[in-house]
């Protein structure tokens, strides 16, 4: 008997069919991956399971018993809990207070046992492998720490059905290992876990079965041992894996960016030397904290260099601020899309024009007609799916938010574009589209630095690969000679 059984679930919003007869089964002691592109129906199905949305038709059963009237309260009573990519915690309260709010019954006259509350929080955090003091304010925690607090809440609520939505998007490799140990322990206790992730490599490590959704329909449910990465991609997007990395040979021109013995004590980088030419995609690989993002921030003037030289168009220049970098036609797509890539509360048009306001301004005021025309041009060129250029950017899918962030930097007509994790947290289809944009830009003569944690992306999209270790470049590999083994060896400090 299934722990959770969703059968023939349908759901529409304002005439748009989000789910078309979707079925999904979760067993006790199982990690079941739920995969699909943005818009495939994953989020809507989760909302139905957690009671946030009511299905138009279909049935939901827990332990073989139908759930006729699901709601958030009913779902919690049934042992259903969800941990989302953006944790829903109160930042101004402590960890123990956030946990207590989720677990303690409300009563105006109940006296709080602070000692018991702290002891409970500490025990739950220890079960998660989290080294977090219960008295810390949540606002001081990193995103990975906040996710562990959410998991601690779910464990404390004795959740038997745990939904993890992109749980590793902001985690280091060590933190991912710790999370997987927690998942293994929960699975051993009989909990069922629905695991949603765009990272197919980790899905194959942690999951027992996989269900793929596409266009609101269940495409297939398979045992992970019976399916490989290429087959998963084909099921998700309806096309071959080679379409995800549409790299093609383009003419390589003159040197656009020449970096010589660059150093920045504040960023922890030293003696960095490399060149990137027009039409070239130079991949920057390395382990977490190897200095990849810090190099990008130094080049862009966020943490200006202490030593060494930066040559743009053959001339030595000092980049002391992002404003100077923009004037020198150098753009940076940052790693954290939601924090630094786009302003979620602003419309698409305002986000696209933000880095180049001079181009859409007249006498110090923004010309809305110019801004609208600029935005519409990039919406069409990059195939950004949005109802309007005045739509709030935060309402778009992750892949389309990333395209808006790319459009912002294209709007300054850069000669050198640094892309830090350009496809992090976006679905397979959006990855393919962003990769195609990169190739098109290179073909037009732009020089591109692409920082990525995904070795398939590094190998699939780079003309050359610079591997960083301990704040410097440990080696440069031509595309034809690069392998995962060689990259990892250099990243670990082995020549």
């Amino acid at each position: 008997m299934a722990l959770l059984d969703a059968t023939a679930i349908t759901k529409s919003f304002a005439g748009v069919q989000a789910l078309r007869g979707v079925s999904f089964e979760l067993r006790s002691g199982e990690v079941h991956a739920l995969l699909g592109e943005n818009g495939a129906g994953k989020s809507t199905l989760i909302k139905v399971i957690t009671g946030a949305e009511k299905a138009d038709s279909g049935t939901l059963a827990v332990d073989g018993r139908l759930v006729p009237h699901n709601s958030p309260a009913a779902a919690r009573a049934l042992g259903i809990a969800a941990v989302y990519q953006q944790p829903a915690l109160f930042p101004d309260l402590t960890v123990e207070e956030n946990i207590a709010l989720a677990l303690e019954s409300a009563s105006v006259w109940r006296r709080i046992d602070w000692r018991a509350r702290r002891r409970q929080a500490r025990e739950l955090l220890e079960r998660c492998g989290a080294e977090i003091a219960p008295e810390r304010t949540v606002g001081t925690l990193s995103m990975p720490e906040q996710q562990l607090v959410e998991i601690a809440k779910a464990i404390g609520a004795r959740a038997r059905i745990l939904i993890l939505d992109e749980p590793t998007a902001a985690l280091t490799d060590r933190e991912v290992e710790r999370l997987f140990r927690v998942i293994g322990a929960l699975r051993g206790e009989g909990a069922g876990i629905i695991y949603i992730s765009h990272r197919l490599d980790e899905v194959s490590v942690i999951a027992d079965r996989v269900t793929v959704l596409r266009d609101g329909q269940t495409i297939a449910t398979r045992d992970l041992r019976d399916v490989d990465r290429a087959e998963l991609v084909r099921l998700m997007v309806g096309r071959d894996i080679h379409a995800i990395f549409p790299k093609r040979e383009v003419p390589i021109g003159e040197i656009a960016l020449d970096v010589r013995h660059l150093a920045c004590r504040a960023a922890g980088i030293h003696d960095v030397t490399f060149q990137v030419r027009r039409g070239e995609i130079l991949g920057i690989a390395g382990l977490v904290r190897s200095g990849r993002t810090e190099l990008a921030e130094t080049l862009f003037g966020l943490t200006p260099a202490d030593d060494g030289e930066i040559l743009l168009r053959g001339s030595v220049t000092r980049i002391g601020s992002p404003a100077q970098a923009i004037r020198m036609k150098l753009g940076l797509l940052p790693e954290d899309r939601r924090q630094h890539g786009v302003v979620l509360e602003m419309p698409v048009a305002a986000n696209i024009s933000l880095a180049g306001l001079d181009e859409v301004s007249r006498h110090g005021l923004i010309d809305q007609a110019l801004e609208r025309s600029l935005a519409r041009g990039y919406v069409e060129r990059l195939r950004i799916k949005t109802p309007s250029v005045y739509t709030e950017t935060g309402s778009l899918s992750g892949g389309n938010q990333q395209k808006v962030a790319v459009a912002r930097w294209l709007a300054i007509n850069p000669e050198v574009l640094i892309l830090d994790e350009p496809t992090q947290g976006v679905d397979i289809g959006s990855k393919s589209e962003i990769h195609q944009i990169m190739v098109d830009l290179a073909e037009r003569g732009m020089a591109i630095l692409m920082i990525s944690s995904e070795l398939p992306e590094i190998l699939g999209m780079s003309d050359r690969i610079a591997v960083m270790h301990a704040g410097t470049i440990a080696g440069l590999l031509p595309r034809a000679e690069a392998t995962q083994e060689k990259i990892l060896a250099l990243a670990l400090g082995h020549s």
Side-chain angles (χ1 to χ4, degrees):
M1 183 174 61
L3 179 59
L4 171 74
D5 196 354
T7 306
I9 302 293
T10 65
K11 180 66 181 178
S12 61
F13 298 96
V16 177
Q17 197 77 20
L19 297 177
R20 307 167 184 265
V22 168
S23 294
F24 179 86
E25 178 198 67
L26 179 68
R27 299 168 184 164
S28 177
E30 172 187 52
V31 177
H32 195 141
L34 182 61
L35 303 182
E37 297 186 78
N38 290 337
K42 304 187 302 295
S43 296
T44 303
L45 177 60
I46 294 309
K47 288 177 181 177
V48 170
I49 292 172
T50 58
E53 294 286 354
K54 179 176 172 54
D56 297 332
S57 64
T59 61
L60 185 69
V62 175
D63 285 330
R65 297 180 180 179
L66 288 178
V67 183
H69 305 293
N70 200 15
S71 67
R76 284 194 296 272
L78 290 167
I80 300 173
V83 177
Y84 296 102
Q85 187 174 355
Q86 299 295 320
L89 300 171
F90 294 96
D92 296 324
L93 298 182
T94 64
V95 170
E96 63 190 64
E97 288 169 334
N98 270 275
I99 292 175
L101 281 172
L103 306 183
E104 296 177 5
S105 58
S107 173
V108 175
W109 306 110
R110 184 177 61 85
R111 186 170 182 171
I112 296 173
D113 186 339
W114 290 98
R115 185 173 297 175
R117 177 182 280 188
R118 182 163 296 179
R119 183 172 60 251
Q120 179 188 46
R122 185 173 287 110
E123 289 172 354
L124 292 172
L125 291 166
E126 286 176 356
R127 286 189 64 187
C128 295
E131 298 174 358
I132 303 171
E135 61 270 21
R136 279 186 64 183
T137 303
V138 163
T140 67
L141 302 182
S142 67
M143 188 63 67
E145 289 173 325
Q146 291 186 41
Q147 287 179 322
L148 289 171
V149 173
E150 285 278 32
I151 294 173
K153 285 168 51 180
I155 293 173
R158 294 180 174 83
R160 297 182 304 133
I161 298 168
L162 180 61
I163 302 163
L164 299 177
D165 185 8
E166 294 289 349
T168 65
L171 304 189
T172 65
D173 291 343
R174 182 180 176 185
E175 289 162 342
V176 170
E177 290 177 9
R178 183 168 58 187
L179 174 64
F180 283 3
R181 285 197 297 270
V182 174
I183 291 173
L186 294 173
R187 177 165 49 186
E189 294 171 5
I193 295 162
I194 302 174
Y195 192 91
I196 302 171
S197 177
H198 293 309
R199 297 182 174 183
L200 300 186
D201 292 339
E202 70 183 25
V203 166
S204 64
V205 171
I206 194 65
D208 302 295
R209 288 193 297 163
V210 57
T211 290
V212 177
L213 302 186
R214 188 169 76 227
D215 298 327
Q217 296 177 294
T218 303
I219 300 301
T221 295
R222 303 276 181 84
D223 286 336
L224 254 299
R225 61 176 177 267
D226 297 332
V227 62
D228 60 15
R229 177 188 172 92
E231 176 69 4
L232 285 177
V233 171
R234 189 189 64 76
L235 291 170
M236 290 168 63
V237 301
R239 55 186 183 270
D240 191 72
I241 192 171
H242 298 296
I244 307 305
F245 303 110
K247 186 76 173 79
R248 61 180 182 269
E249 296 296 325
V250 304
I252 303 298
E254 63 188 15
I255 297 171
L257 173 66
D258 191 353
V259 177
R260 302 175 182 176
H261 306 291
L262 195 71
C264 176
R265 284 185 293 275
I269 63 169
H270 59 94
D271 198 24
V272 173
T273 297
F274 67 91
Q275 298 173 337
V276 59
R277 296 175 176 271
R278 296 186 184 278
E280 182 180 34
I281 298 176
L282 177 66
I284 307 290
L287 302 178
V288 173
R289 299 188 180 94
S290 62
R292 297 170 305 173
T293 293
E294 291 78 8
L295 172 61
E297 292 174 348
T298 298
L299 292 172
F300 194 61
L302 285 164
T303 51
D306 303 319
D307 200 3
E309 293 181 332
I310 300 174
L311 286 78
L312 289 166
R313 298 182 297 279
S315 300
V316 177
T317 182
R318 171 171 169 75
I319 302 177
S321 68
Q324 280 184 297
I326 291 170
R327 286 196 296 271
M328 298 300 294
K329 299 296 183 182
L330 191 152
L332 168 63
L333 180 75
E335 177 182 15
D336 192 331
R337 176 179 65 245
R338 298 180 68 88
Q339 288 292 325
H340 307 121
V342 292
V343 182
L344 297 173
E345 297 79 14
M346 289 174 62
V348 170
N351 266 290
I352 290 176
S353 67
L354 198 56
L357 289 175
D358 289 346
E359 301 298 320
V360 295
S361 299
R362 294 291 180 269
H363 310 296
L365 297 175
I366 294 175
D367 185 322
Q368 292 192 347
L370 278 176
E371 184 180 63
R372 181 173 61 248
S373 176
L374 176 77
R376 284 176 175 169
Y378 282 107
V379 165
E380 181 177 350
R381 177 178 167 187
L382 304 185
R383 296 185 294 278
I384 300 171
K385 295 177 182 177
T386 177
S388 161
V389 296
Y390 297 116
T391 298
E392 191 174 276
T393 305
S395 69
L396 306 185
S397 70
N400 285 297
Q401 288 178 21
Q402 191 75 329
K403 290 181 186 178
V404 171
V406 172
R408 173 190 297 177
W409 295 108
L410 296 187
I412 71 167
N413 298 310
E415 295 179 14
V416 179
L417 182 59
I418 305 170
L419 303 174
D420 193 355
E421 302 287 2
T423 64
Q424 185 179 76
V426 306
D427 61 70
I428 293 291
S430 295
K431 280 179 186 271
S432 177
E433 292 179 347
I434 291 170
H435 290 154
Q436 186 62 60
I437 291 167
M438 291 167 57
V439 174
D440 291 344
L441 294 174
E443 194 167 42
R444 294 188 178 99
M446 190 178 297
I448 297 174
L449 277 75
M450 180 190 69
I451 300 168
S452 177
S453 300
E454 298 186 26
L455 285 182
E457 182 171 59
I458 285 286
L459 290 165
M461 293 303 299
S462 306
D463 294 293
R464 289 184 303 138
I465 299 166
V467 185
M468 294 198 69
H469 170 75
T472 193
I473 290 179
L476 277 160
L477 298 170
R479 178 182 177 87
E481 298 177 14
T483 65
Q484 290 199 23
E485 292 76 15
K486 288 182 179 179
I487 292 172
L488 285 172
L490 289 168
L492 291 168
H494 308 308
S495 59

